[in-house]
Amino acid sequence: MSDPFDGAERSLGQLVASATAEMSALVHDEIALAKAEIRQDVKRGAMGSAAGMAAGAVLLFSLPMLSFALAYGINTWTGGHNGDGGWNLAWCFLLSFAANVLLAGLLGLFAVAKFKKVKKPEKTISSAKQTAAIMQNVKPHPRPSADAPQLALDKAPSVARSSA
């Protein structure tokens, strides 16, 4: 009869160590996947934030200078430079303000478009759900009781001994 522990079967300690190593590798892979997906979304969010801040900065800091320059430019373009009067300066400043609001609105739309591209880490969630489903279906092997070797011997066919 061959030895049941001839190296083909691993001991309980080896099985536990192997399972622990595989679970550790699985957890590390899950974490790496989550980091990769989140890093990509953080970059998108940062781009959207930068565009939103740029829109605010353009609207805030350029309004006075740009408004004056544009208003006087419109007045000059409509004939105010040669003494004919041109458009009223109030209308010129209003048009200047509308142009600045339009520019800020376009930058704001760009920011919103970037924010909409930020999404939850689908691959990580899916992989974690699969792992959880597998782990819920895993059942431990029944442990043999202390009298299991005796039960195996009791069920074995008995051999008559010769008394010769």
Side-chain angles (χ1 to χ4, degrees):
M1 182 176 230
S2 66
D3 182 17
F5 300 103
D6 61 354
E9 293 186 26
R10 297 186 291 178
S11 70
L12 179 62
Q14 290 171 329
L15 290 173
V16 169
S18 175
T20 303
E22 289 176 11
M23 285 299 296
S24 177
L26 179 64
V27 168
H28 284 287
D29 289 344
E30 294 282 343
I31 291 171
L33 178 62
K35 282 182 181 180
E37 285 186 303
I38 290 172
R39 189 176 299 123
Q40 184 179 14
D41 285 339
V42 166
K43 285 181 184 177
R44 287 182 184 146
M47 289 288 292
S49 295
M53 287 189 291
V58 165
L59 185 61
L60 183 65
F61 295 121
S62 72
L63 280 178
M65 295 287 283
L66 190 59
S67 293
F68 277 99
L70 191 57
Y72 280 109
I74 292 170
N75 183 269
T76 301
W77 179 64
T78 58
H81 67 288
N82 59 10
D84 291 340
W87 288 0
N88 187 344
L89 274 178
W91 288 110
C92 296
F93 276 103
L94 187 61
L95 284 174
S96 173
F97 174 74
N100 287 329
V101 169
L102 180 67
L103 177 62
L106 290 174
L107 287 171
L109 287 175
F110 177 74
V112 168
K114 286 296 179 184
F115 280 127
K116 283 187 177 181
K117 287 185 180 179
V118 174
K119 56 187 177 207
K120 58 187 176 183
E122 297 286 341
K123 293 177 186 175
T124 303
I125 292 171
S126 171
S127 179
K129 284 182 181 178
Q130 287 175 350
T131 302
I134 289 170
M135 295 305 289
Q136 286 178 351
N137 293 332
V138 172
K139 294 182 181 173
H141 292 287
R143 294 184 181 226
S145 62
D147 58 344
Q150 185 62 36
L151 289 175
L153 290 176
D154 290 343
K155 290 182 181 179
S158 59
V159 178
R161 293 190 145 209
S162 64
S163 56

